[in-house]
Amino acid sequence: MAGILKTVTGKSKIDLSKKTFAIVVAEWNEEITEPLYQGSYQSLIKAGVKSKNIIRKSVPGSFELPLAAQWMVDQKEVDAVICLGCVIQGETAHFDYICQAVAYGIMKVNLKSNKPVAFGVLTTLNKKQAMDRAGGKHGNKGEEAALTVIKMIELQN
Ligand code: RBF
C-alpha cells in the first residue's frame, strides 16, 4: 500500500511555492471528508505549497465534484485539483451510479483540461472501511491524492 508515499521523497524538482491547488470537498459523510481534507492540505504544505495558494471549495455530494473541478481548472491560476469525497454503499443502486459518474466525470476533466485532477473519493461498503482510509489503519487517501497531483505536476514540467 501507499506506493505513492514511498516515491514522493525529499525536495521537489519544481518550485511548488509558485503553484496553486484547489481542493474540492464533498459535504456528504463530512466526518470522513474533513480528515481527508486535512490530509491533503497538510501534505501540500509539507511539500512547500503556500497556504495562500490552496483554495478550498465545498460541494453538497460527490456527484457534484466533477463540475466543481471543471470550474476550478477553468481558472487560469489553478495548476491542479484534488477532489475529495466518500460514497458509502446503501441499500439501493445509488452507490454504483454515483461512483461511476464521479470517476468518469473526474477523468473527463483531467483529459479536457490537461491539468491533474485527483480522484480522492472513497467508495466503501461501510463507514469503518472509510474511517480506516481517512487517517486510520490504511492511511489517509487525502494525503495520497495530494501527493499524486504533485507527482503529475512534476511529470508535466
Ligand atoms: N454523496 C456522497 O458523497 N456520498 C454518499 O454516500 C451519497 N449517498 C447518496 C445516497 C442517495 C440515495 C442519494 C440520493 C444521494 C447520495 N449522495 C451521496 C449525494 C450525491 O452525491 C448528490 O449530492 C445528490 O445526488 C445530488 O446531486
Side-chain angles (χ1 to χ4, degrees):
M1 120 53 214
I4 188 88
L5 290 175
K6 276 188 224 142
T7 53
V8 179
T9 53
K11 228 173 144 14
S12 179
K13 65 179 173 153
I14 57 159
D15 186 0
L16 290 170
S17 71
K18 295 197 168 64
K19 299 288 179 188
T20 297
F21 294 79
I23 307 178
V24 187
V25 190
E27 287 168 347
W28 259 77
N29 299 314
E30 70 177 349
E31 65 280 29
I32 305 292
T33 60
E34 197 53 37
L36 292 177
Y37 169 75
Q38 291 303 330
S40 286
Y41 180 86
Q42 293 304 334
S43 293
L44 294 178
I45 296 291
K46 254 189 245 164
V49 179
K50 297 262 178 265
S51 60
K52 70 175 171 61
N53 293 335
I54 302 174
I55 302 164
R56 178 185 174 150
K57 296 286 178 193
S58 294
V59 291
S62 294
F63 188 81
E64 283 69 42
L65 287 168
L67 179 58
Q70 186 165 285
W71 289 336
M72 290 296 104
V73 293
D74 282 349
Q75 296 185 19
K76 205 170 166 290
E77 72 275 14
V78 171
D79 296 291
V81 180
I82 300 157
C83 293
L84 301 175
C86 172
V87 193
I88 299 177
Q89 186 157 36
E91 289 177 358
T92 66
H94 257 87
F95 178 79
D96 302 300
Y97 287 110
I98 293 174
C99 294
Q100 203 154 7
V102 177
Y104 181 66
I106 290 175
M107 174 55 76
K108 270 181 84 172
V109 180
N110 267 280
L111 297 178
K112 191 170 167 239
S113 68
N114 217 27
K115 293 179 182 178
V117 182
F119 178 69
V121 181
L122 301 180
T123 58
T124 63
L125 301 180
N126 52 53
K127 201 165 173 178
K128 173 157 189 331
Q129 287 183 338
M131 286 165 68
D132 287 345
R133 290 158 179 80
K137 70 176 178 193
H138 291 301
N140 184 317
K141 301 300 170 189
E143 281 175 16
E144 293 181 30
L147 297 174
T148 297
V149 291
I150 290 172
K151 282 194 72 96
M152 291 303 286
I153 285 177
E154 287 176 344
L155 191 61
Q156 196 179 24
N157 282 266

